Each structure stands twice: as C-alpha cells, then as structure tokens.
C-alpha cells in the first residue's frame, strides 16, 4: 500500500526531469527518459521572482489563516462543549454550526457578501478570512474538549480558577492532539486552496502558488494552441507535459516535507472522541 501511494509521486518526479519529446513519443514511465532539467529552467528562468513571491504569499496565508481559524474554531468548540449548567446556549450554537453544513446560499450571494460588504477583494485578508470556520474541524476540537475529565474542571473551579484560566491552562494543553490535527488540516487547506484566489484576487502580486502555476499552465496551453503551425514548422518543443509535472512537484514538496512531523498527531487526532471497547 505504501508503494502504491508513493508510485504516482515517483512517476511525477521522473517525468519532471525527462525530455518533453521522449514523453510525447513514449508516454510516462517509471524511469526518467533522457534526463534533463530543462523544464525546471524553462519554468524558473523568467518566472522565478513571481514564483518566490507567490510562495511568500502562500506561506503568509498559511500562517495567518491557520492562527485565525484556530482561534475561532477553538473558542467556538470549547463553548459548545460546555454543559447546559455552564452555558445554556451550547446546544443551540452546535445546531447552528451543523445547519450551515446542510444549507448554503450559493456562490453568487457569497461573492457579493465577500466583495461588496466585507471588502475582501485584492487584499491578503481575502485569502483566509472566508475560511475562518470549518464546522467539521470544530467538532473534532469539541470532542477533544469533551474528552477532558469533568472532575479536573470541577477541581479547578473549586480552587478559584476562572473560565478563562480553565480554558488556557487546562483545556488547551489537554486538547493538544486535536489542536495539532486541526492545524495540519487547515494548513493543507490553505496551501491547496485555489477558489479564493480565483474569485477574489486579480492582482498578480497577491497570487498564491496554486493560482500562479495555474496561470502559467494556461499560458502554455494557449501558446500551444495559438502557434501550433509555427511550432511544428520550426521544430520547437514546448514542455507542456513535463511542465505539468514540474508544477505538481513544486506544490507537493512542501506538503511532503511537513507531513511526517505531524503524522503522529494526525493518527491520534482522527480517534479523538472514539468510544473505547
């Protein structure tokens, strides 16, 4: 199973360092065909500055967006995890959160709300503010908080601890597994997100990696379709297939490097709230 998961990544890497002509002639293979870094040079030569800036924007969005989403979901999850004796509206808030996963206003009302009323267009906030609340991850955090022994909370209240003190000194440290799991999920969501930049960003200075690479791929496709006869006459090979593989490697490598460090928390986090037999 591990080999099957690794195989597509290896084929992508092998294809990214292969010759475009060999790929077109023989198709994709497990081994590099006529190994070359020409496609990497083709992608990075003229667009290197833009790619570096796009990586900076993406990393900024991941950092700010993850902190922003974690703050909202953690405070909300801790609130709805309380008993009615502590907070009588916890069940109502939990229902409202669940309700938003069933019904949606649609893309057009959402777009009007984001741009006309919230002003989220062509600014950095537009790339993470709409994703502040993820109901599924919020319920993961809720289960983490509900797994905390009630006796520990009661002992803290008897000792005079306030609700804020219990939240920051007891609930947060004991829910570390769930928090790290949500951080991992949200980081991946912000890194892979393409829709916010597609709908809300038109300035090239604010392009994320996903949006920039998509535009580069679209430009290559347009070049191929618009100058096909010229390209064939001059025997010029534009790296279309290998360019896709290079772009895939550029977007996957940061995730591959980050995931092993959080894997143990991910495995524990998916079992949070499970019933022990």
């Amino acid at each position: 199973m591990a080999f099957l998961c690794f195989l597509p990544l290896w084929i992508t890497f092998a294809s990214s360092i292969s010759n475009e002509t060999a790929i077109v002639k023989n198709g994709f293979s497990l081994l590099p065909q006529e190994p070359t870094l020409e496609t990497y040079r083709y992608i990075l030569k003229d667009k290197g500055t833009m790619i570096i800036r796009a990586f900076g924007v993406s990393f900024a969005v991941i950092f700010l967006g993850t902190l922003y989403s974690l703050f909202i979901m953690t405070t909300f999850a801790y609130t709805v995890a309380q008993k009615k004796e502590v907070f009588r509206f916890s069940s109502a808030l939990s229902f409202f959160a669940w309700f938003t996963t069933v019904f949606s206003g649609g893309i057009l009302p959402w777009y009007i709300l984001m741009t006309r009323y919230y002003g989220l267009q062509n600014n950095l906030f537009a790339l993470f503010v709409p994703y502040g609340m993820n109901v599924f991850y919020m319920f993961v955090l809720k289960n983490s908080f509900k797994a905390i022994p009630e006796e520990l909370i009661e002992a803290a209240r008897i000792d005079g601890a306030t609700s804020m003190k219990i939240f920051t000194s007891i609930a947060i440290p004991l829910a570390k597994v769930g928090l790290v799991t949500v951080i991992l999920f949200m980081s991946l969501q912000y890194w892979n997100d393409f829709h916010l930049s597609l709908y809300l960003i038109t300035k090239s200075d604010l392009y994320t990696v996903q949006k920039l690479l998509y535009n580069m791929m679209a430009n290559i496709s347009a070049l191929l379709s618009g100058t096909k006869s010229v390209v064939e006459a001059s025997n010029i090979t534009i790296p279309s297939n290998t360019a896709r593989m290079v772009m895939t490697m550029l977007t996957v490598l940061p995730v591959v490097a980050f995931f092993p460090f959080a894997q143990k928390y991910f495995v524990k986090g998916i079992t949070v709230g499970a019933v022990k037999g």
Side-chain angles (χ1 to χ4, degrees), residues 33-101:
Q33 305 179 54
E34 302 179 18
T36 177
L37 296 177
E38 188 61 33
T39 305
Y40 281 92
R41 287 192 288 266
Y42 178 84
I43 296 295
L44 299 176
K45 181 179 179 181
D46 298 327
K47 302 294 184 180
T49 302
M50 295 182 63
I51 291 177
I52 293 175
R53 182 170 60 242
F55 269 96
V57 172
S58 294
F59 286 136
V61 170
I62 290 173
F63 178 75
L64 296 175
T66 302
L67 289 179
Y68 167 74
S69 299
L70 192 66
F71 173 77
I72 292 179
M73 290 187 292
T74 300
T75 52
F76 195 98
Y78 182 74
T79 301
V80 299
Q82 303 304 306
K83 294 183 177 181
K84 288 186 177 180
E85 294 80 6
V86 179
F87 184 68
R88 61 177 180 172
F89 298 111
S90 59
S91 298
L93 288 179
S94 181
F95 170 77
F96 289 146
W98 170 83
F99 187 82
T100 60
T101 64

Side-chain angles (χ1 to χ4, degrees), residues 184-256:
L184 172 63
F185 283 145
M186 291 307 301
S187 299
L188 293 178
Q189 177 175 331
Y190 282 117
W191 175 257
N192 292 322
D193 179 65
F194 173 71
H195 293 90
L196 291 183
S197 58
L198 178 65
Y199 295 141
L200 304 177
I201 301 298
T202 57
K203 293 182 178 179
S204 60
D205 292 344
L206 292 174
Y207 280 178
T208 61
V209 173
Q210 311 294 340
K211 179 66 178 295
L212 178 63
L213 296 183
Y214 170 80
N215 284 355
M216 292 172 61
M217 197 65 250
N219 292 337
I220 292 176
S221 299
L223 183 62
L224 285 173
S225 61
T227 60
K228 184 176 181 180
S229 58
V230 176
V231 170
E232 291 177 349
S234 57
N235 293 323
I236 298 175
T237 302
I238 298 178
S240 175
N241 296 294
T242 54
R244 291 186 178 92
M245 300 300 104
V246 170
M247 294 174 185
T248 302
M249 293 303 300
L250 291 176
T251 56
V252 168
L253 282 179
V255 177
V256 173

